Amino acid sequence: MPRTLAVLQPEQGVRLITLQRPEALNALNTELLAELASELDLAEQDINNRVVVITGSRKAFAAGADIKEMAERDLVGILNDPRLAHWQRITRFSKPLIAAINGFCLGGGCELAMHADILIAGEDARFGQPEINLGIMPGAGGTQRLLRAVGKSLAMQMVLGGEPIDARHALRAGLVSEVTQPELTVERAMAIARLIAQKAPLAVRLAKEAVLKAEDTDLASGLRFERHAFTLLAGTRDRDEGIRAFQEKRRPDFTGQ
Amino acid sequence: MTFDHILFAIEAGVATLSLNRPEQLNSFNAKMHGEVREALKQVRQNPEVRVLLLTGEGRGFCAGQDLADRNVAPGSAAPDLGASIEQFYNPLIRTLRDLPMPVICAVNGVAAGAGANIPLACDLVLAARSASFIQAFCKIGLIPDSGGTWTLPRLVGMARAKALALLGERLSAEQAEQWGLIYRVVDDAELRDEALKLARHLATQPTYGLALIKRSLNASLNNGFDEQLELERDLQRLAGRSEDYREGVSAFMAKRTPAFKGR
């Protein structure tokens, strides 16, 4: 049983992972990161799981990395850091990942949130990369994913200035797709998860991969990838079912085949 | 924790916070700010508290910032008043607006400067007949702060807001009531009792629902129509899940008096 996470399956096809280190505002220590990576691996292998929602508490999604832990690592320690492998496992997760964010979403917490495919924020969420204030810098994608999400000027301001932005600002900048009442953040994320869980899993998987491809490839290669993925789906039973259901004006019954 | 510059008590769901530097007309210095902040933290964290009553001791309600606390000696560098606002006044105003319960302000006397705008961040403002509101900032080269520039035009309209802010004239409590700046004027001798009566009533009401009402009305000042309708939908969804709603409906059906728990 994970000690720093709570894992629920509130409904068919959806897993809800809640970060639980209340004593440290869900700071991402190595243990939590390892447990999260393992949980995502389990969700990856579970044929019945289609979407994962990840959230923290009302007060904090995750308020950064564990500073105490970080202080103990010297140069060699950083070079041999096991955390990198955990981050890579989180990055590899191939099913839709939705982050429901309330409160502080800072440093490693913000980087974790940006690993999600869809970010939903409560009104009082705060996003920031305050690493610079400690004489360090983001080390888990903060300098890369933030730029892609909000553009250069704001990314630079956040990374170099270390000051957080509020949920509304994050919405305007494109870091999150929706802002909702804090009490309803998880509910809203679950509703989106439910919607996605009803779609054809193979199509969802390839579509996610294609969108992510756009982040790190040139347009021509991206378009080629998209075409290949599109073509692959032509061989699936779910595609035939989807088109037939549309013609027959009924709900499709997708099996993931 | 004992306080030097405020009186603070919690009784039967009512938290009473009274500014207590009567010799200085309850003007704010750093220590008083710290004490008010601590008291409001207790209000927020104590699940027993269902209403906050804010008032002042002596003949004034609050004369705003204690200027003796701000040294602007000739030849000294210009002070950063922005820092003081960032550190003290803005958090105070935000806290009053965001507290998930009704906040009553009983203005017992003169309310000047920030002291005139702090009541406007509260939900229900009662004022003694002898009380007055003075946007004194313009007299010393400053602008209305503590939310004044935002609140005034919304409460009394732009024309009156500008007159108040640019002239800094004394606005009587009765005039303030007529203009819609405050809820109600009461006789001096009855202010405390009236305010307490109101507080005690509110302490028996569905606090969570009241907090949502406050939240939705505050939000309406910034929201467009569609946004506000969506907010109403979301907050009603939350309200409908409360124990008090269940109790309210079943009491109504059974024709009995509801017993609200504030949840």
Side-chain angles (χ1 to χ4, degrees):
Chain A
M1 277 310 291
R3 294 191 311 165
T4 59
L5 305 174
V7 185
L8 294 168
Q9 304 207 38
E11 48 193 272
Q12 189 64 36
V14 182
R15 268 185 209 215
L16 175 64
I17 298 178
T18 306
L19 308 182
Q20 279 186 330
R21 287 190 72 213
E23 74 282 1
L25 290 174
N26 292 335
L28 306 176
N29 61 357
T30 304
E31 181 190 16
L32 189 153
L33 217 49
E35 286 179 357
L36 180 60
S38 300
E39 280 306 321
L40 289 178
D41 284 346
L42 288 173
E44 183 78 57
Q45 291 148 21
D46 178 1
I47 188 101
N48 295 317
N49 177 258
R50 295 188 175 182
V51 183
V52 171
V53 175
I54 177 170
T55 191
S57 66
R58 272 294 303 278
K59 207 165 161 188
F61 177 75
D66 199 301
I67 306 299
K68 274 205 288 285
E69 247 190 359
M70 200 185 304
E72 289 159 6
R73 275 198 299 270
D74 58 1
L75 179 61
V76 178
I78 291 173
L79 285 171
N80 299 325
D81 194 348
R83 296 166 65 88
L84 185 59
H86 302 322
W87 280 116
Q88 284 164 344
R89 286 161 70 198
I90 295 168
T91 307
R92 270 207 313 269
F93 186 59
S94 76
K95 294 173 182 178
L97 182 63
I98 303 174
I101 301 150
N102 282 320
F104 298 113
C105 183
L106 304 173
C110 189
E111 289 170 313
L112 174 61
M114 289 190 290
H115 277 72
D117 302 305
I118 298 168
L119 287 74
I120 304 298
E123 288 272 8
D124 56 5
R126 294 278 176 285
F127 299 83
Q129 301 289 165
E131 288 89 342
I132 203 82
N133 301 333
L134 305 182
I136 55 174
M137 60 178 276
T143 63
Q144 305 301 303
R145 289 192 176 89
L146 194 61
L147 174 94
R148 289 165 166 81
V150 306
K152 180 174 134 187
S153 184
L154 183 56
M156 284 289 190
Q157 198 176 327
M158 288 170 72
V159 169
L160 303 181
E163 302 239 299
I165 59 172
D166 63 26
R168 290 271 154 206
H169 196 167
L171 179 70
R172 284 198 304 275
L175 181 60
V176 306
S177 52
E178 284 186 25
V179 171
T180 181
Q181 299 306 306
E183 299 94 330
L184 295 169
T185 315
V186 174
E187 206 167 309
R188 183 64 194 128
M190 286 298 300
I192 297 167
R194 192 177 311 126
L195 179 74
I196 296 173
Q198 292 162 358
K199 313 295 180 199
L202 291 169
V204 167
R205 181 182 170 154
L206 283 169
K208 165 171 170 166
E209 208 176 332
V211 173
L212 287 177
K213 206 40 120 190
E215 282 201 323
D216 62 2
T217 181
D218 59 279
L219 181 60
S221 316
L223 289 171
R224 254 199 317 278
F225 179 89
E226 184 192 65
R227 200 67 223 168
H228 288 316
F230 182 84
T231 311
L232 267 181
L233 289 176
T236 62
R237 263 185 253 165
D238 277 348
R239 172 190 175 265
D240 299 341
E241 165 65 9
I243 289 174
R244 220 181 4 256
F246 177 79
Q247 287 166 336
E248 293 167 11
K249 295 194 172 64
R250 60 173 173 82
R251 271 176 169 262
D253 177 22
F254 294 125
T255 58
Q257 307 285 304
Chain B
M1 163 147 194
T2 55
F3 298 115
D4 295 330
H5 294 339
I6 63 172
L7 303 176
F8 181 62
I10 295 171
E11 198 187 331
V14 180
T16 308
L17 195 172
S18 191
L19 305 176
N20 190 22
R21 295 182 75 215
E23 299 306 308
Q24 292 78 19
L25 288 176
N26 301 327
S27 61
F28 273 90
N29 58 13
K31 186 164 166 50
M32 187 157 106
H33 269 296
E35 293 184 354
V36 169
R37 181 176 294 195
E38 173 57 32
L40 291 177
K41 195 165 131 191
Q42 289 181 31
V43 167
R44 187 189 281 281
Q45 287 174 347
N46 185 337
E48 300 296 304
V49 180
R50 289 166 67 177
V51 59
L52 169 66
L53 171 56
L54 179 65
T55 188
E57 296 299 308
R59 58 195 181 86
F61 167 69
C62 173
Q65 173 66 30
D66 185 344
L67 294 176
D69 214 42
R70 277 192 186 152
N71 182 20
V72 198
S76 65
D80 180 4
L81 299 192
S84 148
I85 285 183
E86 191 73 43
Q87 191 184 350
F88 295 123
Y89 290 98
N90 284 357
L92 169 62
I93 295 299
R94 284 201 179 100
T95 301
L96 291 170
R97 253 177 72 90
D98 294 345
L99 267 183
M101 65 187 70
V103 178
I104 302 167
C105 188
V107 182
N108 51 296
V110 70
N117 290 329
I118 288 167
L120 307 185
C122 301
D123 303 313
L124 293 163
V125 186
L126 304 181
R129 207 166 295 282
S130 68
S132 59
F133 296 82
I134 310 169
Q135 297 290 331
F137 306 90
C138 58
K139 296 184 187 299
I140 52 170
L142 298 181
I143 71 163
D145 59 25
S146 304
T149 61
W150 188 88
T151 319
L152 285 170
R154 286 169 168 78
L155 290 175
V156 300
M158 190 57 87
R160 283 170 171 166
K162 282 187 174 160
L164 288 172
L166 293 169
L167 300 171
E169 289 172 345
R170 177 182 171 279
L171 183 75
S172 70
E174 284 176 351
Q175 190 77 75
E177 182 195 71
Q178 278 168 19
W179 282 10
L181 188 72
I182 61 170
Y183 167 51
R184 205 149 63 87
V185 175
V186 289
D187 290 331
D188 288 28
E190 281 154 28
L191 178 71
R192 270 239 167 164
D193 287 349
E194 282 295 311
L196 267 174
K197 206 165 82 184
L198 201 57
R200 288 188 186 123
H201 161 72
L202 286 169
T204 65
Q205 295 305 294
T207 312
Y208 180 63
L210 300 185
L212 295 178
I213 291 175
K214 165 175 175 168
R215 205 161 121 188
S216 58
L217 288 170
N218 282 340
S220 75
L221 296 166
N222 303 347
N223 276 350
F225 184 61
D226 288 328
E227 236 176 332
Q228 191 65 17
L229 286 179
E230 285 172 13
L231 181 73
E232 285 181 0
R233 176 202 61 203
D234 287 348
L235 296 189
Q236 199 72 299
R237 176 175 285 157
L238 294 171
R241 293 174 190 168
S242 66
E243 283 177 43
D244 282 346
Y245 169 63
R246 201 172 289 261
E247 166 65 10
V249 172
S250 66
F252 177 82
M253 291 301 188
K255 295 192 170 61
R256 61 175 173 82
T257 308
F260 294 120
K261 297 200 186 82
R263 297 191 292 268

